Amino acid sequence: MRIIFFIGCFGALALFGCNNSKHKTEVEKESYEKAKESLEEKEKKNPVLFLYVNNKNKHNLIGQTVIKGNVLNKAKVCTYKDVQLEISFFSKTGTLLEKGNETVYDAIQPGKSAEFKIKNFTPKGTDSISIRVLGARTN
């Protein structure tokens, strides 16, 4: 009789142990999905925190400044498109001469980048150019 009781208890423990493992996996998956949703909401609300601009500029034969660069998406979940850039032109003394806006019409997946090329006649006395991200749309 005792042997049957011990076998029954052991069987019940094994059954509950397997069930607990499945439940734990489901809870972990649900927790991951919630964290992913939370991260996606943060990335959608603040694209400026996840988009970075690298650029180089040179002058062409007709006197235009050609700005080549890329926009890098460092978000983990969110895809950005139609990235709005602000271009600022500064003098040697750091005085702001002019500002302009441009848009990069491309969808940028997480961890990827999009290249852009802008041709512009810069204001007289321009020594340096600064570009920053103003915003972007999400899917």
Side-chain angles (χ1 to χ4, degrees):
M1 189 75 168
R2 285 186 173 174
I3 294 175
I4 295 174
F5 177 74
F6 285 122
I7 292 174
C9 288
F10 181 74
L13 285 174
L15 256 160
F16 289 122
C18 291
N19 236 1
N20 192 20
S21 176
K22 287 181 183 178
H23 178 69
K24 185 177 179 183
T25 303
E26 289 174 10
V27 169
E28 286 176 355
K29 185 177 179 181
E30 188 176 307
S31 174
Y32 170 75
E33 290 299 324
K34 284 182 182 178
K36 187 176 169 183
E37 287 174 9
S38 174
L39 179 62
E40 184 175 15
E41 288 174 16
K42 181 179 179 183
E43 290 176 355
K44 281 185 177 182
K45 288 180 184 177
N46 302 305
V48 175
L49 298 176
F50 300 97
L51 293 170
Y52 296 89
V53 179
N54 295 317
N55 66 290
K56 292 183 180 180
N57 49 335
K58 64 178 186 171
H59 296 284
N60 63 13
L61 295 174
I62 60 172
Q64 291 177 315
T65 299
V66 180
I67 304 168
K68 289 183 178 181
N70 62 38
V71 180
L72 174 64
N73 180 0
K74 290 201 174 185
K76 299 294 182 197
V77 180
C78 198
T79 298
Y80 297 109
K81 62 182 179 179
D82 302 342
V83 179
Q84 300 165 349
L85 303 176
E86 178 184 75
I87 304 170
S88 301
F89 302 94
F90 295 96
S91 69
K92 287 182 182 180
T93 61
T95 303
L96 177 64
L97 300 173
E98 189 177 300
K99 280 186 183 181
N101 293 336
E102 291 287 335
T103 303
V104 177
Y105 294 105
D106 206 347
I108 309 170
Q109 301 289 328
K112 303 290 182 183
S113 63
E115 293 182 359
F116 64 89
K117 182 177 180 179
I118 302 167
K119 293 180 182 179
N120 199 344
F121 286 105
T122 58
K124 189 173 184 176
T126 298
D127 182 62
S128 62
I129 298 171
S130 171
I131 300 178
R132 72 181 184 110
V133 176
L134 293 177
R137 292 179 41 208
T138 58
N139 291 337

